[in-house]
Structure formats: structure tokens, C-alpha cells
Amino acid sequence: MKLIIAVVQGEDAQRTVVALTDRGISSTRIASSGGFLQQGNVTLMIGVEDAQVEVALQLIHENCRERSRYLTPVPPLAEPGEFFMAYPVEVQVGGATVFVVPVDSFEKI
Ligand code: 2BA
């Protein structure tokens, strides 16, 4: 068995969960946020038999899009009279960041 941990964008989370559920794959949705952009995203925990890993990865691939996000740099401490113009920086985010981890034990108690 494997645990798939997938960090996806909020906009993609719902349809990814629905697509997984339609194929009989259970998932847990956790609200999270990225360390770089400090913006909300969603982490999906998906426990699957080894034979279902490829299907789950394919569904994540089909449902998660790459998008542009903008990061506004924090102005540095300026000397009096200095002027800093903060231009937003474009960053490409997604489709999804996915970890596939072996599961030693799986129990529902
Ligand atoms: P964030 O950390 O907010 O990162 C958002 C996007 O910013 C990243 O998209 C990447 O394009 C860019 N980025 C991240 N760190 C950067 C850096 N040090 N310098 C320049 N650009 C940087 P993705 O790679 O698609 O990642 C989307 C989200 O997936 C991340 O949000 C984070 O929540 C998660 N993630 C990505 N890599 C991870 C990792 N190795 N471990 C845990 N979570 C990860």
C-alpha cells in the first residue's frame, strides 16, 4: 500500500477529490499553505493499494492545472530619502506537488 500526499491548488481540489471518489479512491482534504507564497492550498492524503497508484496519479494530473501567481516582494528597510517600488513577481504554480510514500501498516480502529 502507498500513501499519496498531493499539494494542489484550491481551485483544483474539489474536482480532483470527485474524480478520485468516482474511481472508488478515498481521500482526505487538509487546508494548508505554501511556505514560499504564504497562500492557501490544499493537501490531499490518498491511501491506495499499489495497483491503484498509477490511476490516482493520472487523475491528479488530469485535474490539476498550472497557473500564474503573483508575489509582491516585501520592501527592504530604506534609508531616509530612498524610494522602493515593489513590483509583483510572477511565479508558476502547479499542477500538483506529489509524494508517494510506502505504508507500513493500515488499520481502521
Ligand atoms: P509554495 O511554497 O507557496 O510555492 C509556490 C510556487 O512558488 C512553487 O510552485 C514554485 O513555482 C515557487 N517556489 C517555491 N519555492 C521557491 C523558491 N525557493 N524560489 C523560487 N520559487 C519558488 P510549486 O512547485 O508548484 O509548489 C506548489 C506548492 O507545493 C508549494 O507552495 C508548497 O506548498 C508545495 N511544495 C512544493 N514543493 C514542496 C516540497 N519539496 N515539500 C513540501 N511541499 C512542497
Side-chain angles (χ1 to χ4, degrees):
M1 188 175 198
K2 297 285 190 293
L3 177 64
I4 300 173
I5 303 167
V7 184
V8 307
Q9 294 172 75
E11 296 95 318
D12 298 328
Q14 184 63 18
R15 67 165 166 267
T16 304
V17 168
V18 169
L20 291 164
T21 305
D22 285 350
R23 296 293 291 267
I25 298 174
S26 299
S27 61
T28 296
R29 177 182 169 147
I30 302 170
S32 49
S33 56
F36 187 68
L37 293 181
Q38 306 276 309
Q39 291 177 3
N41 53 28
V42 173
T43 300
L44 300 177
M45 281 201 323
I46 308 161
V48 287
E49 296 300 334
D50 288 5
Q52 291 177 299
V53 169
E54 285 308 317
V55 175
L57 294 179
Q58 182 62 30
L59 292 171
I60 293 167
H61 182 71
E62 287 171 6
N63 286 282
C64 295
R65 315 252 184 280
E66 186 178 75
R67 295 189 182 82
S68 295
R69 291 278 186 266
Y70 291 89
L71 171 71
T72 305
V74 178
L77 287 176
E79 296 294 325
E82 280 187 348
F83 178 71
F84 175 81
M85 181 68 82
Y87 292 104
V89 177
E90 184 176 2
V91 176
Q92 296 300 316
V93 183
T97 301
V98 182
F99 305 86
V100 181
V101 184
V103 174
D104 286 343
S105 163
F106 170 69
E107 293 173 48
K108 290 185 178 176
I109 299 173

